[in-house]
Amino acid sequence: MKHLLKTALVIAAAGGGLFASGAAFAFPEPYCVRGYSNGVEPITLVNIDGINNVTPAPIGGTADEDFTATIGQLAPGGNYPVTLQGNSDGNFKNVYAVYIDWDHSGTWEAAESYFIGAITNSTGTDGKSVSGVIAVPAGATLGQTRMRVSKQYTSVAAPTLVDVAACGTTGFGQSEDYTINVDPNAPVPPSLTKSFAPTNGPVGSNSTLTLAIGNSNAAAITLSSAFTDTFPAGLVVATPGNASTTCTGTLTAADGSGSVSLASGASIPVGGCSITVSVTSAAAGIYVNSIAAGSLATSAGNGPAVSATYQATQAGVVNYSVGFETPTFVVGNLGTQGGWGVTGTAADWKVATTNPAVGTQELRATWATAGSGTNAAISPTQAQGTTAYSIASAKLSITPNATGTEFDFAPQDPGAGSVITRVRFLRPTAGVNKIQVLDPNGGGPGVAGYIDTGSFWTGGAYFDVKVIANRSAQTYQVCINGSSIFTGPGFAKNITNVALVATKGAGTNGNILDADEVVIDNSNIGTCNGIAPPHTVTPSVGTPSGSISPNTPQTVADGATTAFTLTANAGFHIDTVGGTCGGNLAGNIYTTNAVTADCTVIANFAADVVTHTVTPSVGTPSGSISPS
C-alpha cells in the first residue's frame, strides 16, 4: 500500500518547477533550492576525499541540508572515490547523484553531474552503500565551489541521472550541500586496477593475478591500513604462489591461502607499484574477485572499488563430432541411428551417399510431395562444458527446388528449455537465398519471427555454418565460411545438442538439405576461424631515467613471446621490470612469457651508487688514526 502511495505522490509532485534565487533566503544561494514535498528520507553518509560526514538516520528533518562549512580538497585531473548511504524508509529504491560546479557558474551543467547508483531497502545504518568515482576536470576552476549530493525515491526499474534531480521539488529524499576546494596541491587518491592473465584456464592450472596501484602525487604515499584482497571461495594462492611486489613493504600470500595482503605502512612510490601472485582453483566455475571501495586506504585517500573475473574450465568434457559414417550409421532412414532422433516423417531424413562433404556418407532431408509443418533431426544431448564458449558447427548444402525453401540450423540448450537461436536458410523469391536469425527482441524463440542478417547462401554447394555462444555474456555469433555475419543476445547460453529443421509448404517438395560433419564443441577460443586472437603488449617506463624499445604497443600472437631493449641513462642502471606479462631479463633484453592476454611491461631504472675514497693520515706526529 505504501509503495502505491509513494508512486501516486511522486507523480502528483512531478509538475513542480525550479525555484529561483532571491533575496528571501541566503542558503543555498546562488544555487537552486532542492525540496521534497512528500517527506524527507535522509542521506546518512557522504564520503569523498576530505569529507566523511555521518548524519542521523531517522525519517524527517531538513530537505536541503547545509554542510558548506565542511570542505573537501580535490586536485584538477584527479579521480576521487565517493561512497553514499541513506534511509529508504522501507523496501523502496533510492537513487543518488553528485553535482559539483567546476566552472563556478552558479549552476550544475550536464558535465558537472555524476550518477552514483541506487540502493534498495536500507535503514541508512545497515552498511548498504553505493560507490562511484568523481573525475575532476583538468581545467576545473581553482578555489572553492559547491557540491550537492542528491537522493531521491524512484520506482523506475533501471534509473539513470534523469531520475535524481539537483533542483526542484519531488516526493521523497534529501540533499546535502558541501564546499569543494579545487587545489592543484591537494593529494590525489591512488588508482587501483586488477586483472587475471590468462582470464580462464583448465581446473588446476595457474593464472597470474595483478593488482596495480597508481600514485599520481609528487611524492610517495603510504598505506594507512593493511591492503588485503580476499579471494572468492575456491580460488587460492597457487603452490608456489610466487608472490611479489614493486611496492615497498611486507607482502603476505601463503601458498594455498585465500588472500594476498600488503602490510600497513607500505610505501607506494611516485608512478605507482604492483602486486602479483599466482592463483588456482580445484573446481570449475566463474570466480568474481572484488575489492570494495575504500579497501585501499592511504595517506592520500582511498582507492576505488575494482573487480576481475577468472574462469576455471572443466577438463575432459567430450566434444561431439559426427560425419554419419559407418559402422555407426548405415544407409537408410535415420531413425535412431547414433543416438539421433527424428520428429515428423521419419522417411524424410536419410543417411545417404549421394553428396557427402567429407568421407562417403551424409545426412539428407527431402520429401517428394508438398505438405505442411516441420520435421527435425536432433543430435544426442552432450555434457555441458564450462569453457568460455559453447560452439556448434556443420557443413550444409542446400539444393532448392523452388521458392519457399526453409531449413534451420538450431543449436539448443535443453537444460534451459530453449534454443540459442535458429539460423534460417530460405529462398523467398527465385534466385534470392537469404540467411536469417530469430529476432533477438522477441519475447521468446520465434515469437517475433526472423530478421535478415544481410548475408546469403549459394545453392547446391557446401558451406560451413558455426554458432558460437558466449556463456558469461549469453550472446552468440553466427559464422559462415569462417566469417562473422551476425552477433546478438541469445535465448540461452549452453549448446548441448543441435536440431536440423526442415519446413514444409506449398512448392517445397523436392528441396534438399545435406548435412555433414556436425560438431558440438567446448572451447576458450570464440573466433570464427578457431584461431585465438592476438594480444596487445603495452611497454612503458615506470621510474624514469631510461628508455624501452620498442616503446609502442606491440601486437603478439596468442602463446608467442616478444622482447624489449632497456637502455639506462648515464648514471643510472636497470632496476626491475614489472607489468603483467611476466618474463625474464638477460642483460638489457627483457623477453616476456608466453602472451595469453593483453598485458604490460614496465621498465624501472635506478641511480648508480657512486663511491669515493677517503684517505686518512697523521699530520703532526705522536698519535694515530684508525682505520689507517
Side-chain angles (χ1 to χ4, degrees), residues 109-414:
E109 290 87 32
E112 301 174 323
S113 307
Y114 302 85
F115 179 74
I116 306 302
I119 303 175
T120 299
N121 194 22
S122 177
T123 64
T125 59
D126 53 13
K128 290 184 179 180
S129 64
V130 64
S131 299
V133 175
I134 302 297
V136 183
T141 302
L142 301 183
Q144 294 188 351
T145 190
R146 184 69 62 87
M147 177 177 78
R148 176 165 292 175
V149 179
S150 185
K151 167 184 180 289
Q152 183 173 322
Y153 162 77
T154 185
S155 59
V156 175
T160 62
L161 189 64
V162 300
D163 299 302
V164 51
C167 304
T169 299
T170 56
F172 298 87
Q174 189 180 55
S175 65
E176 295 181 352
D177 281 18
Y178 296 85
T179 297
I180 293 297
N181 184 38
V182 181
D183 181 355
N185 296 315
V188 178
S191 62
L192 179 63
T193 61
K194 71 184 314 183
S195 61
F196 290 99
T199 58
N200 56 71
V203 167
S205 64
N206 292 354
S207 177
T208 299
L209 169 64
T210 299
L211 299 163
I213 305 171
N215 176 18
S216 59
N217 294 282
I221 59 178
T222 58
L223 294 186
S224 52
S225 61
F227 171 52
T228 301
D229 181 11
T230 301
F231 308 151
L235 191 68
V236 298
V237 176
T239 302
N242 299 316
S244 65
T245 182
T246 57
C247 310
T248 303
T250 302
L251 183 67
T252 302
D255 292 354
S257 68
S259 66
V260 58
S261 183
L262 187 61
S264 177
S267 179
I268 312 302
V270 175
C273 56
S274 63
I275 299 167
T276 59
V277 61
S278 292
V279 297
T280 188
S281 174
I286 297 175
Y287 297 90
V288 181
N289 185 200
S290 299
I291 297 177
S295 298
L296 175 62
T298 75
S299 57
N302 298 338
V306 294
S307 184
T309 300
Y310 176 73
Q311 183 179 25
T313 57
Q314 181 65 55
V317 173
V318 177
N319 296 330
Y320 178 73
S321 179
V322 61
F324 304 102
E325 303 293 335
T326 56
T328 304
F329 295 86
V330 297
V331 175
N333 289 354
L334 177 61
T336 57
Q337 293 191 61
W340 280 69
V342 175
T343 66
T345 305
D348 290 346
W349 294 91
K350 296 180 181 293
V351 177
T353 59
T354 313
N355 183 33
V358 178
T360 60
Q361 296 179 174
E362 88 278 6
L363 179 64
R364 169 164 288 200
T366 188
W367 49 94
T369 59
S372 61
T374 58
N375 276 3
I378 307 169
S379 77
T381 298
Q382 305 302 305
Q384 178 176 309
T386 56
T387 50
Y389 301 97
S390 187
I391 303 170
S393 61
K395 295 181 180 296
L396 302 181
S397 173
I398 301 171
T399 304
N401 177 48
T403 60
T405 304
E406 289 184 7
F407 292 111
D408 290 5
F409 180 75
Q412 302 187 135
D413 185 348

Side-chain angles (χ1 to χ4, degrees), residues 583-619:
N584 295 286
L585 180 66
N588 69 332
I589 305 297
Y590 184 80
T591 304
T592 66
N593 292 337
V595 177
T596 58
D598 291 352
C599 62
T600 60
V601 173
I602 304 172
N604 299 299
F605 301 89
D608 293 339
V609 176
V610 180
T611 61
H612 302 279
T613 300
V614 177
T615 304
S617 63
V618 174

